[in-house]
Amino acid sequence: MGSGLKAVVFGAYGHTGRFVVAELLDRGFVPVLSGRDADKLKVLAESESGLDARPASVDDPASLDRALAGAAAVINCAGPFATTAAPVIEAALRAGIPYVDVAAEIEANVDTFAHFTDRARASGAVIVPAMAFYGGFGDLLATAAMGDWTTADEAHIAYGLSSWRPTAGTRAAGAVSHQRRDGRRVRYRNGRLEYHQDDLPTLEWSFPEPLGSRAVIGEFTMADVVTLPSHLTIPEVRTYMSLEAARDMAAPDTPEPAAVDERGRSAQTFLVDVVVRSGGSERRAVARGQDIYAVTAPLVVEAVDRILTGRTRTVGVASAGAVFDAPDFLRALSSHISLELRP
């Protein structure tokens, strides 16, 4: 447990950031609230019994250094991560503390691996990008499904979301990614990322019950195409999104998430179905839960706890499945998700 250790949450007043702050408190950490909006930080600090608020901006390295002073780790919840990841990682390296983020932006995660792998490994630092529902969760499920396999021919990750009410941060990050791709789409084939302008197909995916067969958008590509190939030898990684959720995401007037319980979670439910295939064999991992933004908080806080207690497998820039014992990690989230492995 946190044992009073300080963990800086950059972007603490955002939708996901608030869930992370609450989870840190539940786990015995002392959250340090940070971000560029001093007024929002003050309001949040007052609502949380006077937590320490440290305004900081990614274009002011000294302010980031002040924010991270005395902390054991930093969690970056502030997108777009194309803008925030590198400056906060640099600050974490200067402070000598681990960095974890919740980036779903494909290009931002590629940048983190490309720009910081050598430096982080040389210094013994731990940097875990995409430690969230998209990217980290799928990677843990795929790694757990692989079991004793060292390679596979293909991995498929199907997201069965009942709906998807995107936050303002999700929309902003999506706009940045769209601009960086010049409007193109991205997929992972033949062991590499490909940019294309093909229409995305509508397919049928046989989810486990209670969903059953559902229409999905094929190659609705998420951060899993960065995290899985970073440590698993799988030349084909494909992700799919339930048609209803994809339509919600595409519609400009879809409202933001609304809380329906005391934890602030929305009514959204999810079923993530991961299938890995090698030769004629198939293995599967299935996870169910509620609210993709809320479940990111236990994911990222469990990661920080394991890093700080030495329950890691490597150093440097590493995805969730590479740095943690995937089945054990997922079992630790049993109060937030249900998990089924089908070898």
Side-chain angles (χ1 to χ4, degrees):
M1 303 298 283
S3 302
L5 293 173
K6 291 182 178 180
V8 175
V9 183
F10 189 71
Y13 46 75
H15 187 83
T16 301
R18 288 174 177 267
F19 282 119
V20 172
V21 169
E23 184 71 17
L24 285 167
L25 288 168
D26 287 347
R27 294 285 298 266
F29 288 90
V30 178
V32 176
L33 314 179
S34 190
R36 61 179 175 269
D37 193 318
D39 291 336
K40 290 181 179 179
L41 285 175
K42 182 179 178 181
V43 171
L44 180 59
E46 291 173 350
S47 71
E48 295 290 351
S49 303
L51 290 176
D52 190 7
R54 302 178 184 178
S57 172
V58 294
D59 55 10
D60 182 356
S63 72
L64 289 172
D65 292 343
R66 290 192 295 270
L68 271 55
V74 58
I75 302 170
N76 185 4
C77 297
F81 293 89
T83 301
T84 67
V88 181
I89 292 172
E90 292 283 4
L93 290 173
R94 291 193 297 272
I97 62 175
Y99 166 97
V100 183
D101 71 33
V102 298
E105 298 161 45
I106 292 171
E107 290 78 15
N109 288 311
V110 169
D111 289 346
T112 296
F113 278 98
H115 297 159
F116 293 100
T117 292
D118 292 342
R119 287 174 57 195
R121 185 182 296 118
S123 65
V126 177
I127 296 171
V128 186
M131 192 63 239
F133 181 78
Y134 295 119
F137 194 35
D139 183 30
L140 288 166
L141 290 169
T143 304
M146 290 275 287
D148 59 356
W149 288 358
T150 57
T151 65
D153 299 324
E154 55 193 52
H156 302 265
I157 303 174
Y159 290 101
L161 274 55
S162 62
S163 62
W164 188 357
R165 293 188 169 189
T167 65
T170 296
R171 290 198 183 278
V176 169
S177 291
H178 184 79
Q179 183 178 28
R180 291 188 70 176
R181 298 173 193 168
D182 294 324
R184 296 173 297 168
R185 298 183 174 94
V186 64
R187 60 194 172 204
Y188 191 85
R189 286 185 177 179
N190 302 314
R192 63 184 182 88
L193 289 175
E194 295 180 351
Y195 288 87
H196 66 95
Q197 294 180 318
D198 300 343
D199 291 335
L200 300 183
T202 299
L203 310 169
E204 288 291 318
W205 185 270
S206 295
F207 288 97
E209 294 300 331
L211 287 187
S213 182
R214 291 295 179 95
V216 296
I217 300 296
E219 294 185 348
F220 194 98
T221 307
M222 306 304 292
D224 312 281
V225 299
V226 179
T227 54
L228 270 68
S230 73
H231 70 106
L232 297 174
T233 305
I234 306 177
E236 305 284 330
V237 179
R238 302 183 184 182
T239 60
Y240 311 81
M241 182 62 64
S242 54
L243 183 59
E244 301 90 343
R247 286 174 174 168
D248 285 345
M249 181 61 187
D253 57 350
T254 302
E256 293 195 33
V260 297
D261 64 20
E262 70 283 353
R263 293 165 61 182
R265 297 182 300 176
S266 73
Q268 177 199 54
T269 59
F270 62 80
L271 190 159
V272 185
D273 188 20
V274 177
V275 177
V276 292
R277 297 187 179 117
S278 180
S281 299
E282 176 179 291
R283 292 179 176 180
R284 198 169 195 169
V286 180
R288 299 172 177 85
Q290 179 180 345
D291 194 327
I292 64 174
Y293 296 106
V295 81
T296 288
L299 279 163
V300 74
V301 174
E302 179 69 21
V304 168
D305 187 81
R306 286 176 180 246
I307 294 168
L308 295 179
T309 53
R311 291 176 289 162
T312 55
R313 292 178 161 181
T314 188
V315 296
V317 180
S319 67
V323 73
F324 304 119
D325 179 330
D328 185 67
F329 191 109
L330 291 166
R331 285 192 292 268
L333 302 179
S334 60
S335 62
H336 303 279
I337 64 166
S338 66
L339 172 68
E340 184 180 354
L341 297 178
R342 301 181 179 184

